[in-house]
Amino acid sequence: MEQVMMNEQIDVNAVETPEQIRSSSARMRELTPAQCRAVMFAQQQVIRARAAKKAKDEHQAALARMWQEEDAETARPRAVVRRRETVGEVKEVSLREAIGHVLRDLRTRDHKTLREVSEKAGVSLGYLSEVERGQKEASSELLASISESLGLSTSQMLRMVADHLDSVDA
């Protein structure tokens, strides 16, 4: 990391003209040792900030590629969702599981993370995850808050749940 910072510092100084270097070194000689340390610290902070911005941009680009790949996969026609079958018996999907499935589908379709939705809805991340996995029953107030954070009304979300249940029963 220090090697990268030193290279960036050298690259920044390499752009300066000889007159600028002489004038900046003359200015540096006029500074006290404490001021010189402060200048060096500020330069290091700028280099770190640039490296952090570059890493963030690369992370955002990787996320965008991932979402594009996922969108390309979901663009293909999906097989019809069928009832879950165990040995010899048909298991119906519960309302709790259907709500979780729809909420997760809406969230991932909008390219939102659990953290983003949980913060916006005012729900803990763990609880939202459990609701999406169909492990927890969500109150009507909680469902309204989550729906709003996903940009839908509660009634729209519940219609989607009903459609999901219809597709499972078909």
Side-chain angles (χ1 to χ4, degrees), residues 9-157:
Q9 194 172 17
I10 291 169
D11 291 340
V12 170
N13 290 334
V15 175
E16 295 179 347
T17 64
E19 292 126 14
Q20 290 174 326
I21 292 172
R22 276 191 295 265
S23 66
S24 67
S25 61
R27 278 186 257 141
M28 288 294 281
R29 277 184 250 144
E30 296 171 7
L31 299 176
T32 65
Q35 290 172 326
C36 288
R37 285 192 302 272
V39 168
M40 294 299 286
F41 179 76
Q43 289 174 341
Q44 289 173 347
Q45 293 297 91
V46 168
I47 291 169
R48 287 186 183 125
R50 286 180 185 158
K53 183 182 183 319
K54 182 179 177 183
K56 181 181 176 187
D57 291 344
E58 289 171 355
H59 178 71
Q60 291 293 335
L63 279 176
R65 283 191 304 273
M66 181 184 73
W67 290 121
Q68 286 174 346
E69 290 169 5
E70 188 174 302
D71 287 344
E73 288 175 13
T74 57
R76 291 185 220 133
R78 289 185 178 177
V80 176
V81 178
R82 303 215 188 276
R83 291 181 209 163
R84 296 181 188 178
E85 294 184 23
T86 57
V87 181
E89 73 179 62
V90 174
K91 181 183 176 193
E92 296 294 322
V93 175
S94 71
L95 179 60
R96 181 178 66 221
E97 292 172 329
I99 289 172
H101 174 81
V102 169
L103 290 176
R104 178 166 284 178
D105 191 45
L106 287 169
R107 179 181 58 79
T108 57
R109 197 179 302 162
D110 288 345
H111 307 301
K112 293 182 179 176
T113 64
L114 270 170
R115 185 174 308 281
E116 292 169 336
V117 174
S118 70
E119 287 174 357
K120 194 170 182 183
V123 178
S124 75
L125 188 137
Y127 193 79
L128 178 60
S129 175
E130 289 177 329
V131 168
E132 283 189 357
R133 286 181 280 147
Q135 294 177 341
K136 293 280 185 184
E137 289 280 346
S139 68
S140 57
E141 292 84 8
L142 182 66
L143 287 175
S145 178
I146 296 169
S147 297
E148 283 181 31
S149 69
L150 293 168
L152 296 170
S153 68
T154 308
S155 60
Q156 290 172 317
M157 187 271 300

